[in-house]
Amino acid sequence: MNVMNTLVETSFDPKSFRRALGNFATGVTIMTAQNEQGEKVGVTANSFNSVSLDPPLILWSIDKRSSSFNVFAQASHFSVNILSADQIELSNQFARAKEEKYANIDFDLGAGNSPLLKACSAVFECERYDILEGGDHWIILGRVINFQDYGRSPLLYHQGAYSSVLPHPRLNIQIEETARTFPVHLYENMYYLLTQAVRTYTNDYQPKQLASGFRTSEARLLLVLDSKTAILKDDLQREVAMPVHELEQAMEVLVQKGLLIDKENTLELTEQGVDRAKMLYKIAESHQAEVLQQYTDADKEKFKVMLKTLIGI
């Protein structure tokens, strides 16, 4: 049987077609490159995809009308910067048609002098492998020669709007389903009840916090500094309750993001840092209200008093 490939004319409404494609949620990347003349380009793209593990190939596409294409075509390498959930402003900055997209942007240089953006979810350094024609776009293939996996919750794009990752509710393990496997007297043990309560509360709360783009150490530091329970570096470790190296790394990241000012012995949140802390408080308060909705205000206050007494506050 002979099969003939024919081009079929379509009469799709472009807006409807784009809206239908928007049902496929994607991550958000910023593609960066620099040619031998030192011209740097960067474009926000959600067309990134993996192609092959052996060899390690990826692809993305760029509009043929883009003024940045020539630099990507000239550069020997480019980088894929997968944005974290906290990098909406960065995504918007590189999505706009402006000459100096790198203004006030902190970055390192990778293979072929391609800019590597900081505080991303992951970064891939790629050697330009091929450029293919794809309708009104150029499809750029890259061979991955190095990558960094920072494990941050990624920024998503769905139906024309930014979104974030949360575990599907069907994946949650309910404590009631496992209760039958434990002896009844175990549920009279206060230590067991407290540890299980924290575990269950954290299982549901932590993904919401991570969806903000902040790691637990960074979020905790923001909340502590905003509450002003500690501003001296020597007091911070006690309040945030995490190892020194994690605290130092969190401080470095928040300073890079412009959320924190390091003043030798003290730390101070910037205006943007205070805003992010308030966002985290709203996430915490919303989750708290959801978990404790079946209890009266008097019950909740008594519970808080008991917890503070146990802590020693």
Side-chain angles (χ1 to χ4, degrees):
M1 180 176 64
N2 293 327
V3 179
M4 296 181 60
N5 291 324
T6 58
L7 293 176
V8 179
E9 291 188 9
T10 58
S11 57
F12 296 151
D13 172 57
K15 291 184 179 179
S16 298
F17 183 48
R18 179 184 288 271
R19 190 160 50 247
L21 291 173
N23 286 304
F24 184 66
T26 68
V28 181
T29 70
I30 293 177
M31 302 294 179
T32 58
Q34 183 170 187
N35 62 16
E36 292 184 355
Q37 290 72 44
E39 295 177 279
K40 292 190 297 291
V41 291
V43 296
T44 301
N46 67 338
S47 55
F48 168 75
N49 213 331
S50 61
V51 176
S52 167
L53 293 178
D54 186 18
L57 300 177
I58 60 88
L59 65 73
W60 68 287
S61 61
I62 182 171
D63 195 311
K64 286 183 175 179
R65 297 169 297 178
S66 173
S67 59
S68 300
F69 172 70
N70 285 337
V71 174
F72 283 107
Q74 295 163 1
S76 60
H77 297 74
F78 66 89
S79 294
V80 181
N81 303 273
I82 298 181
L83 300 189
S84 66
D86 188 46
Q87 293 181 310
I88 290 177
E89 291 86 355
L90 191 63
S91 171
N92 289 337
Q93 178 158 337
F94 279 84
R96 300 187 186 104
K98 55 188 297 186
E99 291 185 7
E100 190 45 66
K101 294 183 178 182
Y102 287 90
N104 302 316
I105 299 297
D106 192 15
F107 61 89
D108 295 320
L109 292 178
N113 285 327
S114 60
L116 308 177
L117 304 180
K118 297 187 176 182
C120 293
S121 291
V123 175
F124 296 89
E125 298 173 58
C126 304
E127 179 183 40
R128 181 164 49 79
Y129 188 80
D130 202 355
I131 298 179
L132 307 173
E133 189 168 6
D136 55 11
H137 279 59
W138 292 111
I139 301 170
I140 301 179
L141 281 86
R143 181 187 180 105
V144 180
I145 59 173
N146 192 25
F147 69 90
Q148 296 82 38
D149 181 1
Y150 301 111
R152 295 177 177 279
S153 182
L155 181 64
L156 298 188
Y157 195 69
H158 174 246
Q159 286 289 21
Y162 291 116
S163 187
S164 57
V165 175
L166 286 175
H168 196 285
R170 290 186 62 180
L171 297 180
N172 291 339
I173 300 176
Q174 299 298 325
I175 188 66
E176 293 83 1
E177 296 177 2
T178 60
R180 295 189 301 272
T181 63
F182 297 98
V184 174
H185 67 269
L186 191 60
Y187 288 91
E188 301 300 322
N189 184 301
M190 185 63 72
Y191 174 77
Y192 175 79
L193 290 175
L194 285 171
T195 55
Q196 290 299 312
V198 170
R199 182 187 67 80
T200 303
Y201 193 93
T202 303
N203 282 349
D204 291 333
Y205 169 67
Q206 196 169 48
K208 298 176 182 178
Q209 177 187 279
L210 292 174
S212 70
F214 294 107
R215 289 183 174 179
T216 300
S217 57
E218 297 158 11
R220 197 175 296 173
L221 182 55
L222 280 170
L223 294 175
V224 167
L225 290 173
D226 184 66
S227 67
K228 293 182 171 53
T229 55
I231 58 172
L232 297 176
K233 289 183 180 179
D234 293 340
D235 298 333
L236 278 174
Q237 190 179 5
R238 181 192 70 248
E239 289 294 324
V240 299
M242 60 190 182
V244 174
H245 72 276
E246 288 189 23
L247 174 59
E248 291 175 344
Q249 187 177 48
M251 288 166 48
E252 182 180 348
V253 169
L254 295 180
V255 169
Q256 287 175 355
K257 289 186 173 186
L259 307 180
L260 180 64
I261 300 173
D262 189 342
K263 296 184 174 181
E264 294 186 6
N265 296 324
T266 63
L267 296 173
E268 180 181 325
L269 293 181
T270 64
E271 184 177 344
Q272 188 179 12
V274 172
D275 288 341
R276 297 300 167 84
K278 293 187 185 307
M279 175 194 69
L280 291 168
Y281 271 121
K282 288 181 180 179
I283 293 173
E285 291 167 359
S286 174
H287 183 70
Q288 178 178 305
E290 179 184 330
V291 172
L292 301 178
Q293 60 181 326
Q294 61 183 310
Y295 301 101
T296 65
D297 289 342
D299 287 338
K300 286 183 277 190
E301 286 305 312
K302 184 181 295 185
F303 183 55
K304 290 178 184 177
V305 170
M306 293 173 65
L307 290 176
K308 290 177 182 178
T309 301
L310 288 171
I311 295 170
I313 298 177

